[in-house]
Amino acid sequence: MSISNLEDLFEHTLKDIYFAENHIHKNLPDMIEKASSTKLKTALKDHRKETEEQIERLKSVFKILGKKAEGEECPAIEGIVKEAGELLSEIDDKATRDAAIVSSAQAVEHYEITRYGTLITWAAELGLDKEVTNLLRDTLSEEDSADEKLTALAEERLNEKANS
């Protein structure tokens, strides 16, 4: 895809986050399986369901724009997920592994937060349908909430247990 203007860049970034959401959805079960904390497992399972809804929202955005919902390979999210897998394979202690899962999940959330924030700004600049902005905002709100939940989990006990 050749990028010559902001509209092209918006579409490229939309395809990037669509790929990222699908990649995350596919890889979350591995993190869920490796988590030992019940609260962490539940948070990850809940976010996987949210991710399904986020993918559907992105499909709606593509439809509003008259574009085919398709992903553009995202080396950034692939790298974050790969690094998480490698890190988790090196940790035997359950509490330490849970702390690493939270850290890795937050790296994913932060990536998504930046992408959705950027897309919202560009959608407004491009004068796109308000529904596009609203759909992206709904997802950004969920990503912010997921990040806050992960922080609360880490602060609550996971980091403390890993430090014991």
Side-chain angles (χ1 to χ4, degrees):
M1 173 181 189
S2 177
I3 300 173
S4 20
N5 56 40
L6 187 58
E7 188 176 333
D8 294 343
L9 185 57
F10 179 89
E11 184 178 345
H12 170 81
T13 305
L14 189 63
K15 289 178 177 182
D16 173 280
I17 197 64
Y18 184 74
F19 176 93
E21 292 289 11
N22 280 286
H23 191 70
I24 293 159
H25 185 264
K26 181 177 129 192
N27 285 280
L28 265 171
D30 188 48
M31 281 184 137
I32 293 166
E33 182 182 316
K34 290 179 178 168
S36 61
S37 160
T38 304
K39 286 184 178 181
L40 179 56
K41 279 184 181 284
T42 299
L44 294 172
K45 285 178 185 176
D46 290 347
H47 193 62
R48 187 162 192 264
K49 288 177 191 163
E50 273 185 349
T51 302
E52 290 171 11
E53 294 168 14
Q54 293 165 356
I55 290 167
E56 290 306 311
R57 274 192 214 111
L58 287 170
K59 287 179 181 177
S60 295
V61 169
F62 279 108
K63 185 175 182 180
I64 292 166
L65 299 175
K67 307 283 183 182
K68 179 182 176 193
E70 60 184 354
E72 173 103 8
E73 188 173 358
C74 175
I77 206 67
E78 288 175 319
I80 291 169
V81 170
K82 181 180 178 191
E83 180 183 38
E86 290 170 357
L87 179 63
L88 296 178
S89 72
E90 296 175 17
I91 302 171
D92 292 327
D93 178 71
K94 289 179 182 181
T96 303
R97 190 171 50 242
D98 282 351
I101 289 170
V102 168
S103 172
S104 297
Q106 284 191 294
V108 167
E109 294 307 323
H110 293 179
Y111 178 81
E112 291 174 310
I113 288 167
T114 62
R115 284 296 188 231
Y116 283 107
T118 297
L119 285 167
I120 290 165
T121 300
W122 290 344
E125 285 182 36
L126 291 166
L128 298 180
D129 187 305
K130 284 281 188 202
E131 189 173 354
V132 168
T133 306
N134 291 338
L135 289 164
L136 296 170
R137 270 202 185 102
D138 288 347
T139 298
L140 177 58
S141 177
E142 289 173 355
E143 300 298 4
D144 283 332
S145 178
D147 183 49
E148 289 170 11
K149 288 174 189 172
L150 289 165
T151 296
L153 274 173
E155 290 173 347
E156 182 180 289
R157 296 287 300 149
L158 294 181
N159 287 342
E160 186 179 310
K161 285 181 184 177
N163 198 28
S164 300

